Amino acid sequence: MFQNYLTTALRNAGRHKLYTFINIAGLTVALTCAIFIMLFIADQFSYNRWIPDTQNLYRVESEFHFPGRRPERHAGVPGPVTPAMVADIPQVTAQTHLIPEDITAKVNGRLFDEAADVVDPDFFTLIRLPFIQGDPRTVFDTPNSVVISKATAEKFFGTVQVLGRTVLLAGRYAMTVTGVIKNLPHNTQLVADLVFPNTSKADAMIQMEQREWLDINGQAFVRLAPGADPAEVLKQAAHIIDDHVDGRKVLGLPIKGSKVLGLHMTPFTADHLDSVDIGGLKPTESRTELYGFGAIAVLIMLIAGVNFTNLATARAMMRAREVSLRKVLGGRRSQLILQFLCESTVTALIALMLAFGLVELLTPAYDNLVGFPIALHYLADWPLEVICLAVALATGLLGGLYPAFVLSSFRPATALQNNHSGYTGSALLRSALVVFQFAISIGLGITAAVVFAQVRHVSTVSLGFNRHNIAVIEGADRLTHQAQNDLAHMLARAPSIAGAALSGPVPFAGDVTTSEYRRSGDPLQIFMRSFDIARGFAQLYDMRLIAGRDLSRSHGNDVFRHISTQPYNVVVNVAAARKLGFSPQEAVGKTCRSGNHVLTIVRVLGNSRLDGVQTAITPVAFDYDPSSFERISVRINPGHVQQALSVIDRDWHQFAPNTAIRVKFLSGTFAKMVHADVQEGHVFAVFVIIAILVACLGLYGLAAFTAQRRTREIGIRKVFGARSYEIVRLLLWQFSVPVLLANVIA
């Protein structure tokens, strides 16, 4: 029986080639999109899941609460928090830290600028990364040990057989390679190209900073006992913070420390989806966006299913005689329903096979589109294949269910006498389905247009400063104060360079330093961002000057000195001036307080979005603190990038011959910040365009069959003098009305 159904289905498919092509093409394209979207979603949910023994592993994150400001969530945590949790909370059985640092590695006379991970010695026993060489339990038994990845080993030494080799870090610390790990796949938040213990002298982090309860020091991970409740652990951790953080000292308010510093625990396998970008090792993904992509896959399959149903019911007239003859010859309605469901299922399975073929062909292009490798492994990804098969079968069955019942309900006498089905109710249904699928398609198109408008806005919106043609030299804190100034002056004199300025943080660097300020005579504290800048920084970045003068070393009170309580001068932005109760014009010359210091405002700058467009403008105070300078910003004259980079490299190595230079373009940093949004916008647009094309393909098939059915009517109209354009207008109007209605709904 099944063989007969299959033979008949294939025979009908071959007989009606256009109908078969449109159905299979629509389903193939829809299934291909659905497979790609499912692969993307599965990849995003797979982060860190390949690392063994992570079921009770959590990342501890911080949330700071300051009066008058939104809570600030950070992926890192102060250093003392997790050791105290292990000591005082029985459910916390182990902890480890990871602090990312940039460092210069010297191997065989060559300098490498490396992103290093400084970790607790037990890091690899808690987070079990795959080792090629070395024992993860003993690699950090000695402080001067380093573990590198396979790619780093090949870059440094040209081979992976590197145990016992020496790497010179920071120009003076000889480290012995004690382990080599595999190159980590993209689906992890970890980097682990060069890892060494925080017991080594190569660790640049000041030990005192690691003991501060309100200073973020990298990331921390804890392991809970089996069955432990994370919410209960966080309640106990709040009591620990209350014991070590005094809200009165920090904020001047009688509040508990846990109301200043809150903690979150994110499962290690979910940190890519449930964490924040600030302080993270890699950009995170939003669950909402993933669910949005999943919804697009469902909608595309719905559109393809609607096409299938529409075309099947439109062809009911053509199959009226076939159905009637089967009934006359004794065919039962249940057999006819099975026949038509078999046809729709065979069509869906053929489309599924073609879709898998398209996935294989288009995977390289899709990798370029999403920005990382995605592949379908037929053995390892069998659950995904089962889902695809189920989706295809469900599409075939649901798409063919209504046509099967309609076609099997024809009355033989009426159909054989008049050569049509006698069924008149499907036209209204087809119009409703056309409205439905085009409302979805056009709605997605509108959404895509909004997304692109937002992406364009992100790329063109004014940030309050000029990010173009600025190169930032990082690691200037390795030079003396005099060397920093001499290097900046030397660079500024180069013909290819328009200017140079020293600073601590720079825009988009993610450095968040918050200090408390208050208006003189007012006990209410105001928390503002704090930036350390030298003379010329605001001019270099083309920040808008509202009033006042620049900070300079020639004015004694312009320089901030940590060990002194004498007054000093600051520059504020408009938001800070207003927060202190002054208008931007009258703020110059006014005083405020920060701790034991009296501050005089000497300049007001326009507001700037120093963290990019996705964060609100915040009050900022700029001061002149040479001890905190760690970057040199260089504005390059347009068209002289290569000459300027050569000058920067040459001058840098005059002052730091044993330190690799690290230069980043500010525009490139900004592009990386919005890269994920731009890329996801492109992916979204591609799938939306495909959804619209699938809907149009179905409408074309419906129009073709309608025109074929109305051949006699068209001939009579032409005999009575109708022109071709009038016939075309008549046929177009039939489908324009549903599409126009779909536009209104969308």
Side-chain angles (χ1 to χ4, degrees), residues 469-545:
N469 298 318
I470 288 186
V472 178
I473 306 172
E474 299 186 342
D477 51 331
R478 301 170 189 175
L479 306 176
T480 64
H481 299 333
Q482 187 60 47
Q484 290 175 350
N485 283 288
D486 291 345
L487 176 58
H489 292 151
M490 185 181 296
L491 292 170
R493 291 195 299 267
S496 57
I497 294 174
L502 289 159
S503 70
V506 293
F508 317 139
D511 297 331
V512 181
T513 301
T514 301
S515 300
E516 55 88 11
Y517 298 83
R518 64 184 184 277
R519 190 170 176 173
S520 296
D522 189 343
L524 181 63
Q525 292 184 329
I526 301 166
F527 288 85
M528 299 191 296
R529 292 281 299 277
S530 178
F531 269 72
D532 302 303
I533 62 173
R535 177 179 177 83
F537 182 88
Q539 292 89 328
L540 187 83
Y541 278 84
D542 290 339
M543 293 181 176
R544 188 162 59 96
L545 171 63

Side-chain angles (χ1 to χ4, degrees), residues 689-727:
I689 291 171
I690 290 173
I692 295 172
L693 289 177
V694 170
C696 292
L697 182 65
L699 189 63
Y700 164 74
L702 198 57
F705 282 109
T706 300
Q708 182 180 2
R709 191 185 64 187
R710 299 177 67 176
T711 301
R712 183 173 297 179
E713 174 195 344
I714 293 171
I716 293 174
R717 287 179 180 274
K718 296 194 77 171
V719 167
F720 281 93
R723 296 180 177 87
S724 295
Y725 78 88
E726 292 174 328
I727 302 296

Side-chain angles (χ1 to χ4, degrees), residues 547-561:
R549 64 168 179 83
D550 200 359
L551 296 172
S552 171
R553 294 183 69 182
S554 60
H555 293 79
N557 284 356
D558 281 359
V559 181
F560 171 70
R561 296 176 175 85

Side-chain angles (χ1 to χ4, degrees), residues 382-397:
W382 65 266
L384 183 62
E385 294 159 30
V386 171
I387 293 174
C388 292
L389 178 61
V391 168
L393 290 175
T395 303
L397 292 173

Side-chain angles (χ1 to χ4, degrees), residues 341-399:
L341 288 178
C342 182
E343 290 182 14
S344 63
T345 304
V346 167
T347 301
L349 291 176
I350 293 173
L352 180 62
M353 289 188 290
L354 293 174
F356 278 123
L358 273 180
V359 167
E360 290 291 338
L361 290 173
L362 298 178
T363 293
Y366 188 64
D367 290 348
N368 291 332
L369 184 64
V370 299
F372 49 81
I374 286 182
L376 177 60
H377 304 287
Y378 289 98
L379 294 179
D381 295 336
W382 65 266
L384 183 62
E385 294 159 30
V386 171
I387 293 174
C388 292
L389 178 61
V391 168
L393 290 175
T395 303
L397 292 173
L398 294 176

Side-chain angles (χ1 to χ4, degrees), residues 528 572-580 584 604-607 617-620:
M528 299 191 296
V572 299
N573 67 350
V574 170
R578 287 177 174 158
K579 199 75 173 178
L580 290 168
V604 179
L605 298 173
N607 291 328
I617 291 175
T618 57
V620 180

Side-chain angles (χ1 to χ4, degrees), residues 182-325:
K182 293 181 180 179
N183 297 331
L184 301 187
H186 75 278
N187 56 339
T188 178
Q189 288 290 98
L190 302 174
V191 180
D193 283 332
L194 190 151
V195 188
F196 63 91
N198 54 19
T199 53
S200 168
K201 293 182 179 179
D203 181 12
M205 179 67 67
I206 300 173
Q207 292 300 314
M208 184 181 68
E209 293 181 1
Q210 298 185 32
R211 293 191 292 268
E212 291 291 334
W213 278 84
L214 292 178
D215 283 351
I216 298 295
N217 292 314
Q219 300 192 10
F221 306 90
V222 296
R223 184 180 297 284
L224 302 188
D229 182 6
E232 181 61 32
V233 170
L234 288 176
K235 287 182 182 179
Q236 297 181 57
H239 296 305
I240 296 174
I241 294 174
D242 289 338
D243 293 339
H244 292 86
V245 177
D246 187 345
R248 190 179 297 275
K249 289 183 178 179
V250 177
L251 301 178
L253 299 174
I255 61 176
K256 294 181 178 180
S258 58
K259 300 298 182 182
V260 179
L261 171 62
L263 299 179
H264 295 268
M265 290 202 309
T266 301
F268 185 66
T269 53
D271 65 353
H272 180 61
L273 301 176
D274 296 334
S275 295
V276 292
D277 278 335
I278 299 176
L281 300 175
K282 291 182 181 179
T284 59
E285 184 58 79
S286 165
R287 285 182 183 268
T288 304
E289 291 177 359
L290 293 183
Y291 296 150
F293 278 113
I296 291 174
V298 173
L299 292 176
I300 291 176
M301 292 306 303
L302 274 177
I303 291 171
V306 167
N307 282 348
F308 189 93
T309 303
N310 262 341
L311 292 176
T313 53
R315 290 185 66 246
M317 289 285 293
M318 301 175 61
R319 302 192 67 174
R321 180 168 295 181
E322 173 197 342
V323 172
S324 300
L325 286 173

